Structures are given as structure tokens and as C-alpha cells.
Amino acid sequence: MISDEIRALLREELRGLTAYGAPQLDVPVRLNTNENSYALPDTVARAVTEALRAEVADLNRYPDRDAVKLRADLAAYLGHGLGFEQLWAANGSNEVQQQLLQAFGGPGRTALGFVPAYSMHPLLCAGTATAWVDGGRAADFSISPEHVAEQIRRVDPDLVFLCSPNNPTGTALALDVVEAALRTARGIVIVDEAYAEFARPGTPSALSLLHAYPRLVVSRTMSKAFAFAGARVGYLAADESVVDAVQLVRLPYHLSSLTQAAARAALAHADTLLSTVEAIKEQRDRIVHVLRSRGYEVADSDANFVLFRAYPGGVAGDQAVVWRRLLDAGVLVRDVGLPGWLRVTAGTPAETEAFLEAMKSTEEN
């Protein structure tokens, strides 16, 4: 807890804020932070271990400050004709986005987002003294090209944040929404694609627009589909000039040699790691189908999680009550602060079954 004495010394815009975080509770089924429930396959774990062992003898030396080999591997993974010059990597996509705000935001500048969306975006803005404005969404959580353009004209932001698939709603954006932002905004447009690998067939990526829009940035992560959350590796794809600009604000040697080696070993086994994606999507779709069959309102999901109303049949109620009942049944989901809604990560078949059974028990209470 921050004391009154220290709070008085804080920057004014940080006073009263709560640090980002999700409950880390020791329960049988943890489905609250959108982690990949599958552990690293043994072959990948061995490869990562060997890669780390090879680096240990040289830990007296600084790492490659530009992470060129890792960026080249990431470019090869993404395709779309990208070269390493158009990739940048950091300690999770949060650091990537923080660096973008340090470079293009700051005092006297404004970022526009469309809430509900990733809750770290306004916190990153606060941390970089960038003003944050919420452009809002429709009642069904959608945003149209017209709405995006209207809000950009109203706010005239220096940066625009879009999430596709969106967190916490799970639904991906059509490219016409992204293009509306790019055509209307004068500044940087960031499309956060942390969950892109889980999207339903035919869902486009903003990567396909990079060649036409030098102010577009696509942010990705290895935390989700790659089951690499503990390694903290995020990255962006953008015009080479944007990557050069971000390097003005990065800390020296910000990405350790161990992190770079582990990430490269994982990327070398991308097919193996991504083999769990289809299994997770099956469980996601199972959750959507079963909950809807029981009368719950559920948002369409292109991610590895599902947003659903806590009570069936359109009944209004406190989602915290259902959250607590699920926790008492040994299942931890996420209360994202949307009145009446909860979010659950799609896990293994056994975890999904445990969640669905626990949900059934909440209806009986």
C-alpha cells in the first residue's frame, strides 16, 4: 500500500490508480489470465535448455543490443515479405507498447482507444504521461469504421490503439476498421494482435496492410499461442523508420541474451508449439456452444478466451457473486470489471469440463 507521504510525491495522474494485476491463487483450475494451458513439449524444453546452456558461459558479456538474429527469426515466422529491419522485440508486448508511447506519446500528446479493450493501454499511457481518451463501443462491443473515424476526428490523437482480437471481448476486427483509422488519423495506429493465432478461419491480420501504411504498427506476443508467457517476449512489425524511432527510447541491452536464446529456440520449433492452438480453439468453441445452449449471452471469440454473461436468460446480476461461486468450486476465471460479465480462458478438455460443471452448479445456488 502506498503511504500518504509517498502518494503526495507521485505524479498527480498516477494518484488513485491501481496497479495492473490478476489474482494468482492456488486453485485446481486457473482460467483467468489467458495462458496456454499446455506445457512446453519435451522436445522444445530440451532445445530451450540447450540454447540457454550455450549462453551461460558468456553472461559476463552484454547481449546483442539490437537482437538482430531474433528479429530475423520473427520476420521469417510472420512472413508477409518482412525483413528483420521491420521487426522489434522486447520483454513482452507491454514493453513494446510502452516504447511506442515513449517515442510517439508523452506530455501534451493523446492516445485514443475503444473500451472495453486491453486494460494495460490506459495504464501505459499514464506511465508515459500520455493523455488517454476512450472512444467507446456499441452495446454489443463492436466498433464500426464510421465510429472509429468519427472518434479520431473528434479527438485528433497522436496514437490510436486497436485490439484484434479484442481483449476482453475476444472478437477480431475487420480490416476496414483498421483502414478507417489509418486513413483518418495523422499519427501512429497500433493494432494489438496478441491473440491472432487463435482467430477463426478467414480472419485477416493487419500485417497484410503494412506495405501500404507506414504509420501502422502490429504488436504480437509469444506468451499466448507459443505457451511462452514465462519468457516475456513480445514484438512489433512496422515500417523500418518506426523501428528506428523506437530504438531511440529503448534501454541499453534491454533484451537479455538468455531471453533472446530461449525465444530463438522456441521459434525454431514453432510448428510443434503451435500444435496446441487447434486444440485450444476447439475448447473455446465448446465453451461458446455449451454456454449458449444453456441460455447465456456469449461474445463471439477469435481468441483463446470467452466473454460471457454471468447469469443465463438475460438475467441481471452481480458477476462477482458468480466469480466467487466458481472459485469456491475450484475454478478461477477473470472478473474484468464489466458489469454482469466474466471472462474464461479456454484450457485443456479437463479444465473446460471443470469450468462447465462449475457453471452448472452456480445455476443451482
Side-chain angles (χ1 to χ4, degrees):
M1 180 179 293
I2 301 175
S3 68
D4 291 341
E5 178 183 9
I6 298 302
R7 184 179 296 107
L9 301 176
L10 266 177
R11 292 187 356 233
E12 185 175 353
E13 64 268 28
L14 297 180
R15 296 173 192 168
L17 294 182
T18 302
Y20 175 87
Q24 292 183 309
L25 305 177
D26 186 14
V27 296
V29 180
R30 291 185 297 175
L31 300 174
N32 68 321
T33 52
N34 300 339
E35 297 161 318
N36 189 317
S37 291
Y38 293 89
L40 289 184
D42 288 343
T43 54
V44 182
R46 286 194 296 269
V48 170
T49 300
E50 288 302 314
L52 294 176
R53 183 178 291 113
E55 293 293 328
V56 168
D58 293 323
L59 286 182
N60 59 311
R61 302 294 184 184
Y62 284 115
D64 174 8
R65 64 173 176 266
D66 296 330
V68 171
K69 292 180 179 178
L70 172 57
R71 289 160 60 196
D73 289 349
L74 289 167
Y77 165 68
L78 289 182
H80 292 273
L82 296 170
F84 82 90
E85 303 91 345
Q86 296 164 277
L87 270 290
W88 183 245
N91 295 282
S93 58
N94 289 329
E95 185 178 44
V96 166
Q97 293 164 12
Q98 182 183 60
Q99 290 172 343
L100 288 165
L101 284 162
Q102 288 172 318
F104 300 105
R109 296 196 170 193
T110 301
L112 172 69
F114 298 87
V115 174
Y118 184 35
S119 59
M120 269 303 297
H121 291 160
L123 289 176
L124 290 170
C125 287
T128 56
T130 306
W132 168 263
V133 178
D134 172 23
R137 289 173 177 263
D140 63 356
F141 305 125
S142 65
I143 49 175
S144 67
E146 296 76 18
H147 178 73
V148 167
E150 177 187 357
Q151 293 304 307
I152 290 173
R153 285 191 290 267
R154 177 180 69 87
V155 176
D156 188 28
D158 298 277
L159 302 98
V160 178
F161 281 94
L162 299 171
C163 288
S164 183
N166 186 49
N167 180 10
T169 62
T171 311
L173 293 175
L175 286 186
D176 60 355
V177 176
V178 179
E179 290 194 277
L182 288 162
R183 287 194 301 267
T184 312
R186 59 175 174 78
I188 298 295
V189 175
I190 303 167
V191 182
D192 187 339
E193 291 192 346
Y195 301 93
E197 286 90 349
F198 298 102
R200 289 171 291 179
T203 302
S205 166
L207 292 170
S208 63
L209 301 176
L210 282 173
H211 67 285
Y213 296 100
R215 291 178 293 102
L216 171 62
V217 177
V218 181
S219 173
R220 292 279 190 104
T221 182
M222 293 183 68
S223 293
K224 309 303 182 182
F226 276 85
F228 224 54
R232 307 305 300 127
V233 181
Y235 56 101
L236 65 77
D239 187 86
E240 183 177 347
S241 61
V242 173
V243 175
D244 290 343
V246 166
Q247 293 186 57
L248 296 174
V249 299
R250 61 91 185 273
L251 293 175
Y253 313 106
H254 72 291
L255 203 57
S256 78
S257 55
L258 296 178
T259 300
Q260 293 182 43
R264 293 193 67 210
L267 285 164
H269 294 80
D271 289 346
T272 301
L273 282 171
L274 295 176
S275 65
T276 62
V277 168
E278 289 304 317
I280 292 169
K281 288 166 67 174
E282 287 180 9
Q283 297 310 307
R284 173 199 68 199
D285 294 343
R286 176 187 174 197
I287 292 170
V288 172
H289 173 75
V290 172
L291 288 183
R292 284 178 174 169
S293 72
R294 295 179 183 174
Y296 290 89
E297 184 178 352
V298 183
D300 290 333
S301 179
D302 290 289
N304 69 333
F305 57 84
V306 175
L307 184 75
F308 63 98
R309 279 202 180 273
Y311 296 88
V315 174
D318 184 357
Q319 76 278 1
V321 173
V322 176
W323 182 87
R324 170 53 64 179
R325 290 173 181 170
L326 290 171
L327 185 61
D328 290 343
V331 178
L332 178 61
V333 300
R334 186 72 176 269
D335 183 345
V336 295
L338 281 177
W341 296 79
L342 292 170
R343 192 193 72 193
V344 60
T345 305
T348 64
E351 289 172 333
T352 299
E353 185 64 29
F355 163 71
L356 292 173
E357 285 301 311
M359 281 299 296
K360 187 181 295 184
S361 70
T362 68
E363 300 168 19
E364 299 167 354
N365 290 334

